[in-house]
Amino acid sequence: MADNQTSLARTFLAGLWQENPVLRLILGMCPTLAVTTSVQAALTMGASVIFVLIGSNLVVSLMRNLLKPHLRILMFTLTIAAFVTVADLFLKAYQPAMSAKLGPYIPLIIVNCIIICRAEACASKNGLLVSLADAVGMGLGFTGALAVLALVRELLATGQIVFEFGQKVTLVSLPDVPLFRMAGMAMPVGAFLTLGLMLGLVKMVTGKRS
Amino acid sequence: MDTFETLLLGFLGIVIVNNLVFTKFLGTCPYLGVSGRIDMAFGMGCAVTFVLALAGTLTWLIDYFVLIPYGLNVLRYVCFILVIAGAVQLVEMYVRKFFPVLYDSFGIFLPLITTNCAILGMCLFINLWGIDNLPETVVLSVGAGLGFTLAICIMAGIRENLELADVPAALRGAPITLITAGLLTLAFMGFAGMIR
């Protein structure tokens, strides 16, 4: 039993750092680059991905003995598409402004490689508990990486962190100097450069050479 | 003449100004993953263009004639992804049967295209922009595919040269590719605002 629990914990922790989908496996680049202009958008995206990942991992794990090899990927994609539709409608109903801002990137979770990768690598081989631990770990790892990237970009682009729930709440505000008003950070250039440097930093810290 | 102008501007716009990879981050995974060699990049680009042209047109037809009239918007994502997966499967079977040489060179790329965000992304954008005629849909789909090919080929060319460069150890591999991509986007930003 104890052995079982350590393996669950290890599966959960692997997603956070050892096999962090964004920083270590370099999966799911589209949303990572596209929605990290603000921390709130990144967190919304992260939450949607966690929801879809948990849902799809559980369903795939439940039907893993019924899957035919050649129809596997199609079944994964359809399961994911169903959960993404739920997430998309939920956001449209309760967070219309955020939903409009994220636009097509919420439906694009369907083709996010992280989710298919987890369905294939973990959920189609393991039981419910392991799949759940894996989904939560991977989802949190993804959300964490997105949040850090968004934090850097939003701070450098606008000099403040703004959340919007009906009215605007400014959490952090930095002095008005050119360093914190780099418009480029909010543009695609900033996304690619920041992520590139972040990956370099992670590589340096872990001392991994390839 | 007026429609011809719209089509031409739309085409140039999607290939250069609103390039999917540079401005919408669509198809970034293959853009970073497959762009090691220029011939492979070109193969991937051609396959994506073909599937995109097919899937873009089909999804528009389904959306316009089935989903919207019958109020089935909820099923849009499931339908789109089914059409794309089906189109990829068809293309794979067709190419394997009639162009075995081409099939061998595409090999691994074809099944991967299903999960290429550029395809689903473009189908969703066509819906989002409210394109309401077939010619424009076809032109935009083909243009988006060509834009992707252009981006991935430029990237592959740069990366082939990058192999000879002395890159700091920590930045080797994915990081330097991302930084290169960033600089490329900066160059393409020069076109921003020229059309639309």
Short mmCIF file of all heavy atoms in Angstrom, two decimals, chain A residues 26 28-30 33-34 74 77-78 81 85 88-89 92 104-105 107-108 110-111 113 116 187-189 191-193 195-197 199-200 203-204 209, chain B residues 21-29 32 74 77-78 81-82 85 114-115 117 120-121 124-125 128 169-172 174-175 178-179 181-182 185-186 189:
data_model
loop_
_atom_site.label_atom_id
_atom_site.label_comp_id
_atom_site.label_asym_id
_atom_site.label_seq_id
_atom_site.Cartn_x
_atom_site.Cartn_y
_atom_site.Cartn_z
N ILE A 26 8.70 20.23 -23.85
CA ILE A 26 8.42 21.16 -24.94
C ILE A 26 7.19 20.74 -25.72
O ILE A 26 7.22 20.53 -26.93
CB ILE A 26 9.64 21.33 -25.84
CG1 ILE A 26 10.88 21.34 -24.98
CG2 ILE A 26 9.54 22.57 -26.68
CD1 ILE A 26 12.02 22.11 -25.45
N GLY A 28 2.83 21.46 -26.30
CA GLY A 28 1.78 22.45 -26.11
C GLY A 28 2.26 23.88 -26.25
O GLY A 28 1.94 24.75 -25.46
N MET A 29 3.05 24.11 -27.31
CA MET A 29 3.64 25.44 -27.47
C MET A 29 2.64 26.52 -27.85
O MET A 29 2.75 27.65 -27.41
CB MET A 29 4.72 25.39 -28.56
CG MET A 29 5.97 24.67 -28.14
SD MET A 29 6.91 25.62 -26.97
CE MET A 29 6.66 24.68 -25.49
N CYS A 30 1.63 26.14 -28.68
CA CYS A 30 0.69 27.18 -29.16
C CYS A 30 0.07 27.97 -28.02
O CYS A 30 0.21 29.18 -27.97
CB CYS A 30 -0.49 26.64 -29.86
SG CYS A 30 -0.52 25.95 -31.33
N LEU A 33 2.53 30.14 -25.93
CA LEU A 33 2.99 31.40 -26.51
C LEU A 33 1.85 32.39 -26.67
O LEU A 33 2.02 33.59 -26.48
CB LEU A 33 3.63 31.13 -27.87
CG LEU A 33 4.92 30.32 -27.81
CD1 LEU A 33 5.28 29.80 -29.18
CD2 LEU A 33 6.05 31.15 -27.27
N ALA A 34 0.65 31.87 -26.98
CA ALA A 34 -0.41 32.78 -27.39
C ALA A 34 -1.12 33.47 -26.24
O ALA A 34 -1.47 34.64 -26.34
CB ALA A 34 -1.43 32.03 -28.24
N LEU A 74 -8.29 8.49 -32.68
CA LEU A 74 -9.58 9.11 -32.98
C LEU A 74 -10.45 9.16 -31.72
O LEU A 74 -11.06 10.19 -31.42
CB LEU A 74 -10.29 8.30 -34.07
CG LEU A 74 -11.54 8.96 -34.63
CD1 LEU A 74 -11.18 10.26 -35.32
CD2 LEU A 74 -12.26 8.04 -35.58
N THR A 77 -9.17 11.86 -29.42
CA THR A 77 -9.50 13.20 -29.88
C THR A 77 -10.96 13.53 -29.65
O THR A 77 -11.30 14.64 -29.23
CB THR A 77 -9.19 13.34 -31.39
OG1 THR A 77 -8.17 12.42 -31.72
CG2 THR A 77 -8.75 14.71 -31.73
N LEU A 78 -11.85 12.54 -29.88
CA LEU A 78 -13.27 12.80 -29.69
C LEU A 78 -13.60 13.03 -28.22
O LEU A 78 -14.36 13.93 -27.87
CB LEU A 78 -14.11 11.63 -30.23
CG LEU A 78 -14.21 11.58 -31.74
CD1 LEU A 78 -15.06 10.42 -32.19
CD2 LEU A 78 -14.79 12.89 -32.26
N ALA A 81 -12.41 16.45 -27.42
CA ALA A 81 -13.26 17.48 -28.03
C ALA A 81 -14.53 17.68 -27.21
O ALA A 81 -14.98 18.81 -27.03
CB ALA A 81 -13.61 17.09 -29.46
N THR A 85 -15.54 21.23 -25.43
CA THR A 85 -16.80 21.92 -25.69
C THR A 85 -17.43 22.35 -24.37
O THR A 85 -17.92 23.49 -24.25
CB THR A 85 -17.76 21.00 -26.46
OG1 THR A 85 -17.06 20.46 -27.58
CG2 THR A 85 -18.97 21.75 -26.94
N ASP A 88 -15.48 25.30 -23.00
CA ASP A 88 -15.69 26.48 -23.82
C ASP A 88 -17.06 27.11 -23.51
O ASP A 88 -17.17 28.33 -23.32
CB ASP A 88 -15.61 26.09 -25.29
CG ASP A 88 -15.72 27.29 -26.21
OD1 ASP A 88 -14.88 28.19 -26.06
OD2 ASP A 88 -16.64 27.33 -27.05
N LEU A 89 -18.10 26.27 -23.41
CA LEU A 89 -19.43 26.80 -23.12
C LEU A 89 -19.48 27.39 -21.72
O LEU A 89 -20.12 28.43 -21.49
CB LEU A 89 -20.48 25.69 -23.26
CG LEU A 89 -20.70 25.23 -24.70
CD1 LEU A 89 -21.69 24.08 -24.74
CD2 LEU A 89 -21.20 26.38 -25.56
N LYS A 92 -17.84 30.74 -21.87
CA LYS A 92 -18.70 31.70 -22.59
C LYS A 92 -19.81 32.21 -21.69
O LYS A 92 -20.23 33.36 -21.77
CB LYS A 92 -19.29 31.03 -23.83
CG LYS A 92 -18.41 31.17 -25.05
CD LYS A 92 -19.16 30.87 -26.34
CE LYS A 92 -18.21 30.93 -27.51
NZ LYS A 92 -18.21 29.69 -28.29
N PRO A 104 -10.03 31.60 -30.25
CA PRO A 104 -9.94 30.22 -30.71
C PRO A 104 -8.97 29.37 -29.90
O PRO A 104 -8.86 28.19 -30.15
CB PRO A 104 -9.46 30.36 -32.15
CG PRO A 104 -8.69 31.62 -32.14
CD PRO A 104 -9.37 32.52 -31.16
N TYR A 105 -8.26 29.96 -28.94
CA TYR A 105 -7.26 29.15 -28.26
C TYR A 105 -7.87 28.17 -27.28
O TYR A 105 -7.23 27.18 -26.91
CB TYR A 105 -6.20 30.04 -27.59
CG TYR A 105 -5.40 30.77 -28.63
CD1 TYR A 105 -5.61 32.10 -28.91
CD2 TYR A 105 -4.49 30.08 -29.40
CE1 TYR A 105 -4.92 32.76 -29.92
CE2 TYR A 105 -3.78 30.71 -30.41
CZ TYR A 105 -4.01 32.05 -30.66
OH TYR A 105 -3.33 32.67 -31.67
N PRO A 107 -10.88 26.35 -27.96
CA PRO A 107 -11.10 25.14 -28.77
C PRO A 107 -9.81 24.47 -29.22
O PRO A 107 -9.78 23.26 -29.43
CB PRO A 107 -11.92 25.64 -29.97
CG PRO A 107 -12.01 27.09 -29.85
CD PRO A 107 -11.71 27.46 -28.45
N LEU A 108 -8.74 25.23 -29.34
CA LEU A 108 -7.48 24.63 -29.80
C LEU A 108 -6.88 23.71 -28.75
O LEU A 108 -5.90 23.02 -29.04
CB LEU A 108 -6.48 25.71 -30.19
CG LEU A 108 -6.67 26.26 -31.60
CD1 LEU A 108 -5.76 27.42 -31.86
CD2 LEU A 108 -6.42 25.17 -32.62
N ILE A 110 -8.13 21.12 -27.98
CA ILE A 110 -8.35 19.79 -28.58
C ILE A 110 -7.06 19.24 -29.17
O ILE A 110 -6.76 18.06 -29.01
CB ILE A 110 -9.42 19.87 -29.69
CG1 ILE A 110 -10.75 20.34 -29.13
CG2 ILE A 110 -9.59 18.52 -30.36
CD1 ILE A 110 -11.78 20.59 -30.20
N VAL A 111 -6.31 20.08 -29.85
CA VAL A 111 -5.10 19.58 -30.52
C VAL A 111 -3.85 19.89 -29.70
O VAL A 111 -2.75 19.84 -30.22
CB VAL A 111 -4.96 20.14 -31.94
CG1 VAL A 111 -5.94 19.46 -32.86
CG2 VAL A 111 -5.14 21.62 -31.98
N CYS A 113 -0.88 19.05 -27.73
CA CYS A 113 -0.19 17.76 -27.69
C CYS A 113 -0.11 17.18 -26.29
O CYS A 113 -0.05 15.98 -26.13
CB CYS A 113 1.23 17.87 -28.24
SG CYS A 113 1.60 19.33 -29.17
N ILE A 116 -3.17 14.72 -25.58
CA ILE A 116 -3.08 13.46 -26.33
C ILE A 116 -1.91 12.64 -25.83
O ILE A 116 -2.01 11.42 -25.66
CB ILE A 116 -2.92 13.76 -27.84
CG1 ILE A 116 -4.25 14.28 -28.37
CG2 ILE A 116 -2.51 12.50 -28.57
CD1 ILE A 116 -4.51 13.96 -29.78
N MET A 187 3.87 41.40 -27.70
CA MET A 187 3.72 40.91 -29.08
C MET A 187 4.36 39.52 -29.21
O MET A 187 5.04 39.07 -28.30
CB MET A 187 4.41 41.88 -30.03
CG MET A 187 3.72 43.22 -30.10
SD MET A 187 4.70 44.33 -31.08
CE MET A 187 3.83 45.85 -30.82
N PRO A 188 4.14 38.86 -30.35
CA PRO A 188 4.72 37.53 -30.55
C PRO A 188 6.22 37.48 -30.27
O PRO A 188 6.71 36.49 -29.72
CB PRO A 188 4.44 37.26 -32.03
CG PRO A 188 3.20 38.01 -32.32
CD PRO A 188 3.23 39.22 -31.46
N VAL A 189 6.96 38.55 -30.62
CA VAL A 189 8.40 38.55 -30.39
C VAL A 189 8.71 38.25 -28.93
O VAL A 189 9.55 37.40 -28.61
CB VAL A 189 9.00 39.95 -30.68
CG1 VAL A 189 10.50 39.84 -30.78
CG2 VAL A 189 8.41 40.54 -31.90
N ALA A 191 6.94 36.77 -26.73
CA ALA A 191 6.60 35.40 -26.36
C ALA A 191 7.73 34.45 -26.69
O ALA A 191 8.20 33.69 -25.85
CB ALA A 191 5.32 34.97 -27.07
N PHE A 192 8.19 34.51 -27.96
CA PHE A 192 9.24 33.59 -28.38
C PHE A 192 10.53 33.82 -27.59
O PHE A 192 11.15 32.88 -27.09
CB PHE A 192 9.53 33.76 -29.88
CG PHE A 192 8.53 33.08 -30.78
CD1 PHE A 192 7.70 33.82 -31.61
CD2 PHE A 192 8.45 31.71 -30.81
CE1 PHE A 192 6.80 33.19 -32.44
CE2 PHE A 192 7.54 31.07 -31.64
CZ PHE A 192 6.71 31.81 -32.46
N LEU A 193 10.94 35.09 -27.46
CA LEU A 193 12.20 35.39 -26.79
C LEU A 193 12.16 34.96 -25.33
O LEU A 193 13.07 34.29 -24.84
CB LEU A 193 12.53 36.87 -26.89
CG LEU A 193 13.02 37.35 -28.24
CD1 LEU A 193 13.41 38.82 -28.18
CD2 LEU A 193 14.21 36.53 -28.71
N LEU A 195 10.24 32.77 -23.78
CA LEU A 195 10.20 31.33 -23.60
C LEU A 195 11.56 30.72 -23.92
O LEU A 195 12.04 29.83 -23.21
CB LEU A 195 9.11 30.70 -24.47
CG LEU A 195 8.91 29.21 -24.22
CD1 LEU A 195 8.49 28.95 -22.79
CD2 LEU A 195 7.88 28.63 -25.16
N GLY A 196 12.21 31.22 -24.99
CA GLY A 196 13.53 30.72 -25.35
C GLY A 196 14.51 30.90 -24.22
O GLY A 196 15.23 29.97 -23.83
N LEU A 197 14.53 32.11 -23.63
CA LEU A 197 15.47 32.38 -22.55
C LEU A 197 15.11 31.54 -21.31
O LEU A 197 16.00 31.06 -20.60
CB LEU A 197 15.48 33.87 -22.21
CG LEU A 197 16.06 34.73 -23.33
CD1 LEU A 197 15.95 36.21 -22.99
CD2 LEU A 197 17.51 34.37 -23.59
N LEU A 199 13.68 28.57 -21.26
CA LEU A 199 14.12 27.19 -21.47
C LEU A 199 15.63 27.09 -21.28
O LEU A 199 16.13 26.13 -20.71
CB LEU A 199 13.74 26.72 -22.88
CG LEU A 199 12.27 26.47 -23.14
CD1 LEU A 199 12.05 25.98 -24.55
CD2 LEU A 199 11.73 25.44 -22.17
N GLY A 200 16.36 28.12 -21.76
CA GLY A 200 17.80 28.14 -21.58
C GLY A 200 18.16 28.13 -20.11
O GLY A 200 19.05 27.42 -19.66
N LYS A 203 17.57 24.78 -18.56
CA LYS A 203 18.64 23.87 -18.97
C LYS A 203 19.90 24.12 -18.16
O LYS A 203 20.61 23.21 -17.78
CB LYS A 203 18.92 24.07 -20.46
CG LYS A 203 18.63 22.84 -21.27
CD LYS A 203 18.96 23.12 -22.71
CE LYS A 203 18.96 21.87 -23.53
NZ LYS A 203 19.32 22.16 -24.91
N MET A 204 20.17 25.42 -17.91
CA MET A 204 21.38 25.78 -17.17
C MET A 204 21.27 25.26 -15.74
O MET A 204 22.21 24.71 -15.18
CB MET A 204 21.56 27.29 -17.18
CG MET A 204 22.99 27.74 -17.22
SD MET A 204 23.07 29.45 -17.72
CE MET A 204 22.58 30.27 -16.22
N ARG A 209 22.82 18.84 -20.77
CA ARG A 209 23.38 19.22 -22.08
C ARG A 209 22.85 18.28 -23.14
O ARG A 209 22.78 17.08 -22.92
CB ARG A 209 24.90 19.13 -22.04
CG ARG A 209 25.56 19.92 -20.95
CD ARG A 209 25.73 21.37 -21.36
NE ARG A 209 26.37 22.13 -20.30
CZ ARG A 209 25.70 22.77 -19.36
NH1 ARG A 209 24.40 22.72 -19.31
NH2 ARG A 209 26.35 23.46 -18.44
N VAL B 21 1.88 31.21 -38.34
CA VAL B 21 2.94 30.86 -37.39
C VAL B 21 3.44 32.11 -36.66
O VAL B 21 3.62 32.11 -35.45
CB VAL B 21 4.11 30.18 -38.12
CG1 VAL B 21 5.23 29.89 -37.15
CG2 VAL B 21 3.65 28.91 -38.78
N PHE B 22 3.61 33.21 -37.41
CA PHE B 22 4.26 34.37 -36.81
C PHE B 22 3.32 35.23 -35.98
O PHE B 22 3.75 35.86 -35.03
CB PHE B 22 4.91 35.23 -37.90
CG PHE B 22 6.06 34.56 -38.56
CD1 PHE B 22 6.20 34.58 -39.94
CD2 PHE B 22 7.00 33.88 -37.81
CE1 PHE B 22 7.28 33.95 -40.54
CE2 PHE B 22 8.07 33.24 -38.41
CZ PHE B 22 8.20 33.27 -39.77
N THR B 23 2.04 35.30 -36.35
CA THR B 23 1.18 36.19 -35.59
C THR B 23 0.18 35.45 -34.70
O THR B 23 -0.28 36.00 -33.72
CB THR B 23 0.38 37.12 -36.51
OG1 THR B 23 -0.38 36.32 -37.40
CG2 THR B 23 1.28 38.01 -37.31
N LYS B 24 -0.16 34.18 -35.05
CA LYS B 24 -1.18 33.47 -34.27
C LYS B 24 -0.60 32.29 -33.51
O LYS B 24 -1.31 31.59 -32.82
CB LYS B 24 -2.29 32.96 -35.20
CG LYS B 24 -2.94 34.03 -36.06
CD LYS B 24 -3.97 34.80 -35.28
CE LYS B 24 -4.80 35.69 -36.18
NZ LYS B 24 -4.01 36.77 -36.81
N PHE B 25 0.68 32.02 -33.65
CA PHE B 25 1.36 30.91 -32.97
C PHE B 25 0.75 29.56 -33.33
O PHE B 25 0.83 28.63 -32.54
CB PHE B 25 1.29 31.05 -31.44
CG PHE B 25 1.78 32.34 -30.93
CD1 PHE B 25 0.90 33.30 -30.49
CD2 PHE B 25 3.13 32.58 -30.85
CE1 PHE B 25 1.36 34.50 -30.00
CE2 PHE B 25 3.59 33.78 -30.35
CZ PHE B 25 2.71 34.74 -29.93
N LEU B 26 0.10 29.44 -34.49
CA LEU B 26 -0.49 28.15 -34.82
C LEU B 26 0.55 27.29 -35.53
O LEU B 26 1.32 27.77 -36.34
CB LEU B 26 -1.71 28.34 -35.74
CG LEU B 26 -2.87 29.07 -35.08
CD1 LEU B 26 -3.99 29.28 -36.06
CD2 LEU B 26 -3.35 28.29 -33.89
N GLY B 27 0.53 26.01 -35.21
CA GLY B 27 1.50 25.10 -35.83
C GLY B 27 2.91 25.29 -35.32
O GLY B 27 3.88 24.99 -36.01
N THR B 28 3.02 25.77 -34.09
CA THR B 28 4.35 26.01 -33.55
C THR B 28 5.10 24.71 -33.26
O THR B 28 6.31 24.67 -33.39
CB THR B 28 4.26 26.82 -32.24
OG1 THR B 28 3.19 27.72 -32.34
CG2 THR B 28 5.52 27.58 -32.00
N CYS B 29 4.35 23.64 -32.89
CA CYS B 29 5.02 22.38 -32.55
C CYS B 29 5.83 21.83 -33.73
O CYS B 29 7.03 21.62 -33.59
CB CYS B 29 4.01 21.34 -32.06
SG CYS B 29 3.43 21.69 -30.41
N LEU B 32 8.80 24.06 -34.65
CA LEU B 32 10.02 23.92 -33.85
C LEU B 32 10.59 22.52 -33.96
O LEU B 32 11.80 22.32 -33.86
CB LEU B 32 9.73 24.24 -32.38
CG LEU B 32 9.23 25.65 -32.12
CD1 LEU B 32 8.84 25.80 -30.67
CD2 LEU B 32 10.30 26.66 -32.48
N VAL B 74 -23.05 23.70 -30.93
CA VAL B 74 -22.37 22.96 -29.86
C VAL B 74 -21.48 21.86 -30.42
O VAL B 74 -20.44 21.52 -29.87
CB VAL B 74 -23.43 22.35 -28.91
CG1 VAL B 74 -22.77 21.54 -27.82
CG2 VAL B 74 -24.27 23.46 -28.30
N TYR B 77 -16.89 21.81 -32.66
CA TYR B 77 -15.51 21.31 -32.45
C TYR B 77 -15.41 19.83 -32.76
O TYR B 77 -14.46 19.38 -33.41
CB TYR B 77 -15.06 21.59 -31.03
CG TYR B 77 -15.19 23.03 -30.61
CD1 TYR B 77 -15.45 23.37 -29.29
CD2 TYR B 77 -15.07 24.04 -31.55
CE1 TYR B 77 -15.58 24.69 -28.91
CE2 TYR B 77 -15.21 25.35 -31.19
CZ TYR B 77 -15.47 25.68 -29.86
OH TYR B 77 -15.61 26.98 -29.49
N VAL B 78 -16.40 19.05 -32.28
CA VAL B 78 -16.36 17.61 -32.52
C VAL B 78 -16.40 17.33 -34.02
O VAL B 78 -15.63 16.53 -34.54
CB VAL B 78 -17.53 16.92 -31.80
CG1 VAL B 78 -17.51 15.44 -32.05
CG2 VAL B 78 -17.46 17.18 -30.31
N ILE B 81 -13.02 18.35 -35.80
CA ILE B 81 -11.88 17.46 -35.57
C ILE B 81 -12.10 16.13 -36.27
O ILE B 81 -11.17 15.53 -36.79
CB ILE B 81 -11.59 17.30 -34.06
CG1 ILE B 81 -10.18 16.76 -33.83
CG2 ILE B 81 -12.57 16.40 -33.37
CD1 ILE B 81 -9.11 17.75 -34.10
N LEU B 82 -13.38 15.70 -36.37
CA LEU B 82 -13.68 14.47 -37.11
C LEU B 82 -13.35 14.64 -38.58
O LEU B 82 -12.74 13.77 -39.20
CB LEU B 82 -15.16 14.14 -36.97
CG LEU B 82 -15.53 12.99 -36.04
CD1 LEU B 82 -17.01 12.75 -36.07
CD2 LEU B 82 -14.78 11.74 -36.42
N ALA B 85 -9.54 14.66 -39.00
CA ALA B 85 -8.97 13.31 -38.86
C ALA B 85 -9.32 12.47 -40.08
O ALA B 85 -8.48 11.74 -40.61
CB ALA B 85 -9.48 12.65 -37.59
N THR B 114 -2.96 15.53 -38.05
CA THR B 114 -4.25 15.63 -37.35
C THR B 114 -4.12 16.56 -36.15
O THR B 114 -5.01 17.37 -35.87
CB THR B 114 -4.71 14.25 -36.86
OG1 THR B 114 -4.58 13.34 -37.93
CG2 THR B 114 -6.14 14.31 -36.39
N THR B 115 -3.03 16.44 -35.42
CA THR B 115 -2.89 17.24 -34.21
C THR B 115 -2.10 18.52 -34.47
O THR B 115 -1.60 19.14 -33.54
CB THR B 115 -2.19 16.45 -33.11
OG1 THR B 115 -0.97 15.93 -33.63
CG2 THR B 115 -3.05 15.33 -32.62
N CYS B 117 -1.99 22.23 -34.87
CA CYS B 117 -2.99 23.25 -34.52
C CYS B 117 -3.27 24.19 -35.69
O CYS B 117 -4.31 24.83 -35.71
CB CYS B 117 -2.61 24.05 -33.30
SG CYS B 117 -0.96 23.88 -32.73
N LEU B 120 -6.77 22.93 -37.45
CA LEU B 120 -7.99 23.24 -36.69
C LEU B 120 -8.10 24.75 -36.46
O LEU B 120 -9.18 25.32 -36.57
CB LEU B 120 -7.97 22.50 -35.35
CG LEU B 120 -9.21 22.69 -34.50
CD1 LEU B 120 -10.43 22.17 -35.21
CD2 LEU B 120 -9.07 22.02 -33.15
N GLY B 121 -6.96 25.38 -36.19
CA GLY B 121 -6.96 26.82 -35.94
C GLY B 121 -7.51 27.59 -37.12
O GLY B 121 -8.35 28.48 -36.97
N LEU B 124 -11.20 27.19 -37.51
CA LEU B 124 -11.92 27.99 -36.52
C LEU B 124 -11.88 29.47 -36.87
O LEU B 124 -12.85 30.20 -36.68
CB LEU B 124 -11.32 27.78 -35.13
CG LEU B 124 -11.54 26.41 -34.51
CD1 LEU B 124 -10.72 26.23 -33.28
CD2 LEU B 124 -13.01 26.23 -34.19
N PHE B 125 -10.73 29.93 -37.40
CA PHE B 125 -10.62 31.35 -37.76
C PHE B 125 -11.58 31.69 -38.90
O PHE B 125 -12.17 32.77 -38.91
CB PHE B 125 -9.19 31.71 -38.15
CG PHE B 125 -8.37 32.18 -36.99
CD1 PHE B 125 -7.23 31.51 -36.61
CD2 PHE B 125 -8.75 33.29 -36.27
CE1 PHE B 125 -6.49 31.94 -35.52
CE2 PHE B 125 -8.01 33.73 -35.18
CZ PHE B 125 -6.88 33.05 -34.81
N LEU B 128 -14.69 32.19 -37.33
CA LEU B 128 -14.67 33.36 -36.45
C LEU B 128 -14.72 34.66 -37.25
O LEU B 128 -15.36 35.63 -36.85
CB LEU B 128 -13.37 33.31 -35.62
CG LEU B 128 -13.34 34.11 -34.33
CD1 LEU B 128 -14.25 33.45 -33.32
CD2 LEU B 128 -11.93 34.16 -33.79
N ALA B 169 26.16 26.54 -24.54
CA ALA B 169 25.67 25.18 -24.27
C ALA B 169 24.23 25.16 -23.77
O ALA B 169 23.44 24.33 -24.18
CB ALA B 169 26.58 24.50 -23.26
N ALA B 170 23.90 26.11 -22.86
CA ALA B 170 22.56 26.08 -22.26
C ALA B 170 21.49 26.39 -23.29
O ALA B 170 20.34 25.99 -23.15
CB ALA B 170 22.48 27.07 -21.11
N LEU B 171 21.84 27.13 -24.34
CA LEU B 171 20.83 27.57 -25.30
C LEU B 171 20.67 26.61 -26.47
O LEU B 171 19.82 26.80 -27.33
CB LEU B 171 21.19 28.95 -25.84
CG LEU B 171 21.03 30.11 -24.86
CD1 LEU B 171 21.37 31.41 -25.53
CD2 LEU B 171 19.62 30.16 -24.31
N ARG B 172 21.52 25.56 -26.53
CA ARG B 172 21.46 24.65 -27.68
C ARG B 172 20.12 23.94 -27.77
O ARG B 172 19.51 23.64 -26.75
CB ARG B 172 22.59 23.63 -27.59
CG ARG B 172 23.76 24.05 -28.45
CD ARG B 172 24.95 23.14 -28.25
NE ARG B 172 26.15 23.99 -28.19
CZ ARG B 172 27.30 23.60 -27.68
NH1 ARG B 172 27.41 22.40 -27.15
NH2 ARG B 172 28.32 24.42 -27.67
N ALA B 174 16.24 23.54 -28.35
CA ALA B 174 14.98 24.30 -28.38
C ALA B 174 15.14 25.79 -28.06
O ALA B 174 14.56 26.62 -28.75
CB ALA B 174 13.97 23.66 -27.45
N PRO B 175 15.91 26.18 -27.02
CA PRO B 175 15.96 27.61 -26.69
C PRO B 175 16.41 28.48 -27.84
O PRO B 175 15.77 29.49 -28.15
CB PRO B 175 16.96 27.66 -25.54
CG PRO B 175 16.90 26.33 -24.91
CD PRO B 175 16.63 25.37 -26.01
N LEU B 178 13.76 28.89 -30.44
CA LEU B 178 12.70 29.83 -30.05
C LEU B 178 13.18 31.26 -30.22
O LEU B 178 12.43 32.13 -30.67
CB LEU B 178 12.29 29.59 -28.59
CG LEU B 178 11.28 28.48 -28.40
CD1 LEU B 178 11.21 28.05 -26.97
CD2 LEU B 178 9.92 28.96 -28.87
N ILE B 179 14.44 31.53 -29.84
CA ILE B 179 14.96 32.89 -29.97
C ILE B 179 15.03 33.28 -31.45
O ILE B 179 14.63 34.39 -31.84
CB ILE B 179 16.34 33.01 -29.29
CG1 ILE B 179 16.15 32.81 -27.78
CG2 ILE B 179 16.98 34.35 -29.58
CD1 ILE B 179 17.41 32.72 -27.00
N ALA B 181 13.13 32.09 -33.77
CA ALA B 181 11.74 32.32 -34.17
C ALA B 181 11.30 33.72 -33.77
O ALA B 181 10.61 34.41 -34.52
CB ALA B 181 10.84 31.27 -33.54
N GLY B 182 11.71 34.14 -32.56
CA GLY B 182 11.36 35.48 -32.10
C GLY B 182 11.89 36.55 -33.04
O GLY B 182 11.17 37.49 -33.41
N THR B 185 9.92 36.62 -36.24
CA THR B 185 8.62 37.31 -36.08
C THR B 185 8.82 38.81 -36.14
O THR B 185 8.00 39.53 -36.70
CB THR B 185 7.97 37.04 -34.71
OG1 THR B 185 8.84 36.27 -33.94
CG2 THR B 185 6.67 36.39 -34.86
N LEU B 186 9.94 39.25 -35.53
CA LEU B 186 10.24 40.68 -35.52
C LEU B 186 10.38 41.18 -36.96
O LEU B 186 9.87 42.24 -37.32
CB LEU B 186 11.54 40.90 -34.74
CG LEU B 186 11.83 42.28 -34.22
CD1 LEU B 186 10.72 42.70 -33.30
CD2 LEU B 186 13.15 42.31 -33.50
N MET B 189 7.11 41.41 -38.61
CA MET B 189 6.26 42.47 -38.09
C MET B 189 6.34 43.71 -38.97
O MET B 189 5.47 44.58 -38.92
CB MET B 189 6.67 42.84 -36.67
CG MET B 189 5.73 42.31 -35.62
SD MET B 189 6.43 42.46 -34.00
CE MET B 189 6.58 44.22 -33.86
#
